Amino acid sequence: MVQVVNVVASGALDVELDLEVVARDLVDIVNYDPELYPGAYFRFDDDAPLITLYRTGKYIITGASSEAEAGRFRNEFLALLNRHGIVSDADDAWFTVQNYVCMANMERSFNLSALAIGLGLEVTEYEPEQFPGLVYRPHDHACVLLVFATGKVVITGAPEIAAAEAAFSAFRESIEALLADE
DNA sequence: TAACTAGCTTCTTATATAACAATGCATG
DNA sequence: CATGCATTGTTATATAAGAAGCTAGTTA
């Protein structure tokens, strides 16, 4: 099974915002430095997900560990903007999860050089001097898998959890097929 | 020369390596 | 008291995605 460790979602509010004003009204939770980056950062707690709001009303949520958590923070974010008269309920346009970052464990170790050949050099990248993980981009899946010698796997780029699970299942079957060949 | 495109900035998260800095402790 | 080794800690490396804005390069 794959475990979700990070969710990236984005949404839009149908209003143009003056981020200088928003940052001034919500000093305690907003961090805005237009010289550094055009987005205003909202953080409700030290280890809570980060919400980045833009001038156009679009925003992104990063660091949630489930879709439900991303949704809860979105609600809290909208309620806060409502209370301060920055937006109204009618301004809420859309909201979608864009990327699930998941973790899985094969419970066995790998020789990554051999694995790169087994999976196919055209779908793998393995340069241990640059990065210790093997990058696997299967043709039939939208996800990218990072495979480590310890057997741990990171699956990223999935727009839905099911896509990450399917990619991991397929990876597992490829491993079994490779073992059967020997 | 204008318009367009591409690539970088910011952030999050798991994963694992090396290289580095800084500190702790022991021995000469 | 100073030097050496060990341990701990931080940073870099790579992956995906969204967003706006800047720059650099290409093309008409």
Side-chain angles (χ1 to χ4, degrees):
Chain A
M1 265 314 274
V2 304
Q3 189 196 339
V4 179
V5 293
N6 182 28
V7 172
V8 180
S10 63
L13 300 170
D14 260 335
V15 274
E16 278 265 330
L17 301 160
D18 184 337
L19 297 180
E20 293 281 358
V21 174
V22 174
R24 233 179 291 137
D25 284 356
L26 302 159
V27 183
D28 298 339
I29 45 165
V30 177
N31 199 302
Y32 178 52
D33 182 1
E35 301 268 308
L36 180 70
Y37 191 69
Y41 300 121
F42 282 64
R43 178 119 42 187
F44 295 101
D45 275 300
D46 278 346
D47 47 357
L50 177 76
I51 301 178
T52 312
L53 176 65
Y54 299 89
R55 195 207 74 238
T56 57
K58 291 191 178 176
Y59 61 94
I60 60 179
I61 299 182
T62 54
S65 48
S66 68
E67 182 177 7
E69 194 190 5
R72 281 200 299 277
F73 274 86
R74 168 181 175 259
N75 290 337
E76 194 175 334
F77 169 67
L78 294 179
L80 178 75
L81 293 179
N82 255 293
R83 282 202 299 280
H84 285 79
I86 296 162
V87 298
S88 65
D89 289 334
D91 296 324
D92 185 15
W94 54 269
F95 181 71
T96 15
V97 170
Q98 304 284 354
N99 180 23
Y100 282 98
V101 181
C102 307
M103 207 194 83
N105 198 335
M106 288 295 285
E107 312 271 331
R108 55 154 293 174
S109 59
F110 287 111
N111 172 337
L112 298 181
S113 302
L115 185 61
I117 294 162
L119 290 170
L121 295 175
E122 71 285 352
V123 289
T124 57
E125 281 173 49
Y126 178 51
E127 287 171 60
E129 289 182 11
Q130 194 176 29
F131 187 69
L134 179 151
V135 180
Y136 177 40
R137 299 170 201 272
H139 285 314
D140 47 352
H141 291 277
C143 312
V144 171
L145 294 86
L146 304 181
V147 186
F148 297 89
T150 56
K152 299 219 180 138
V153 180
V154 172
I155 303 118
T156 188
E160 286 162 31
I161 297 175
E165 285 172 344
F168 183 62
S169 296
F171 170 67
R172 212 185 211 138
E173 281 162 27
S174 301
I175 298 302
E176 280 162 24
L178 286 174
L179 291 174
D181 273 353
E182 286 168 16

